Amino acid sequence: MNCEFVIFEKDANVGILTINRPKALNALNIQLMEEIDATLDLVAADENVRALIITGAGKGFIAGADIATMKPMNYEKGKAYGVQGSALFRKIELMDIPIIAAVNGYALGGGNELMLSCDIVIASEKAKFGQPEIGLGVTPGFGGTQRLPRIVGVRIAKELIYSGRIFGAIEAEKIGLVNKVVPSEELMDTAKAMAQNFAKMAPIAMKYAKKAINEGIQTDIENAVKIENEYFGKCFSTKDQEEGMGAFLEKRKVLFKNQ
Ligand code: CAA
């Protein structure tokens, strides 16, 4: 697919997906969401991509869903737009590889929601976050009412969603919305170093660890532990488990083959 608003590059085993619609601060219109979707399909089909970074071009990460696109919508169109965005963000969440959001600037509304569906968030000191939808007359629509409380807790999520206020990276780190805040010039190097480290790990165990966390967090502890038992057991059907443990015991460098 020829993308107008998405740039995809590879740096060794790390994929870098850059949202590139800087004139609108990377606001998510339908075409842009389709291009992200198609790029994720390419990433999923490429077994050499072992970790993915999502970032934004210019001064925005993503300033939300596209307000000009949404303004004329009725109930059916608004709901369908929400379904499209939610399906895309669920697809991000369900990708087998770890995904790092490198938040360079505004992550508002749908931008904050996209980030919530990633595994890890590294933020520049200049990043700004928020769910301002209520001030536009709508609720968050791409998963914000669901993932934000799961990540930062119900009380903080309610205050942020009810006020719609925009806040900075230090507060985002304090409430557990982001993993780490770095100077803006160090953002991509920090994200790449972390992604390269993830990319060296056993890919099947990485996939199972991600699934165990994501599936287990949605259920009670009895079932959650059973989910972990299952994925842990499945690791012992992989060659990479033999290799990882063999390399340790033989005191040699490990070489995972994704098998
Ligand atoms: N949709 C469409 N266009 C947007 C946009 C958005 N979400 N955010 C910014 N833009 C456009 C602006 O209209 C402007 O375009 P023009 O140059 O053609 O006028 C351009 O991007 C630059 O923006 P500003 O001039 O406003 O830049 P600024 O630095 O003065 O302000 C900002 C930056 C505070 C982020 C401001 O742009 C802003 O408040 N944007 C809207 C943020 C927002 O409300 N996001 C939530 C959207 S709703 C949503 O996401 C629903 C959902 O959950 C699915």
Side-chain angles (χ1 to χ4, degrees):
M1 180 179 188
N2 229 353
C3 291
E4 185 182 354
F5 299 132
V6 169
I7 299 167
F8 181 69
E9 299 153 289
K10 278 201 268 182
D11 181 356
N13 291 124
V14 174
I16 303 168
L17 187 162
T18 305
I19 314 286
N20 186 34
R21 197 186 166 218
K23 280 190 190 150
L25 296 177
N26 303 324
L28 296 165
N29 63 14
I30 289 170
Q31 182 186 334
L32 171 50
M33 291 201 288
E34 286 171 355
E35 290 182 8
I36 298 171
D37 200 316
T39 307
L40 292 175
D41 286 340
L42 289 178
V43 170
D46 184 345
E47 74 158 54
N48 289 319
V49 181
R50 301 267 169 94
L52 179 69
I53 298 171
I54 301 182
T55 193
K59 71 172 183 176
F61 174 67
I62 299 170
D66 192 295
I67 299 169
T69 303
M70 287 182 292
K71 166 74 176 58
M73 287 181 176
N74 58 13
Y75 165 78
E76 280 80 19
K77 290 199 167 134
K79 189 170 175 190
Y81 192 50
V83 168
Q84 185 191 6
S86 301
L88 176 61
F89 292 4
R90 185 78 178 127
K91 184 167 182 165
I92 292 174
E93 196 166 53
L94 291 175
M95 291 282 285
D96 287 344
I97 56 173
I99 304 189
I100 300 172
V103 180
N104 50 303
Y106 290 110
L108 303 178
N112 198 55
E113 291 167 308
L114 183 145
M115 188 196 89
L116 290 168
S117 67
C118 297
D119 297 297
I120 306 275
V121 183
I122 310 288
S124 138
E125 289 168 340
K126 293 186 181 153
K128 300 264 182 225
F129 303 86
Q131 296 288 163
E133 291 90 342
I134 279 201
L136 295 165
V138 294
T139 63
F142 294 168
T145 62
Q146 303 309 309
R147 289 193 185 90
L148 189 61
R150 282 167 167 80
I151 289 174
V152 302
V154 173
R155 291 211 189 283
I156 291 173
K158 283 182 173 169
E159 190 270 317
L160 293 175
I161 290 171
Y162 295 175
S163 68
R165 72 184 171 84
I166 295 176
F167 55 97
I170 300 299
E171 182 174 350
E173 187 179 31
K174 194 172 138 220
I175 63 174
L177 184 62
V178 311
N179 296 72
K180 197 178 165 96
V181 180
V182 295
S184 57
E185 62 278 11
E186 292 173 22
L187 178 67
M188 287 312 288
D189 283 349
T190 307
K192 280 183 195 171
M194 187 182 271
Q196 276 154 7
N197 184 36
F198 294 163
K200 279 191 230 145
M201 300 297 170
I204 300 172
M206 179 70 75
K207 170 174 78 177
Y208 289 163
K210 177 167 172 171
K211 283 180 184 292
I213 295 168
N214 284 352
E215 292 168 20
I217 206 83
Q218 305 301 340
T219 185
D220 61 274
I221 190 71
E222 288 293 334
N223 278 312
V225 169
K226 287 183 188 145
I227 289 169
E228 184 187 80
N229 296 155
E230 183 60 23
Y231 284 121
F232 180 67
K234 280 163 71 123
C235 291
F236 291 84
S237 311
T238 67
K239 293 209 165 74
D240 284 346
Q241 173 267 330
E242 283 175 43
E243 167 62 14
M245 296 190 176
F248 175 81
L249 294 172
E250 291 154 28
K251 301 190 191 306
R252 62 172 171 81
K253 210 167 171 261
V254 70
L255 185 65
F256 291 122
K257 292 192 173 148
N258 196 15
Q259 291 171 355

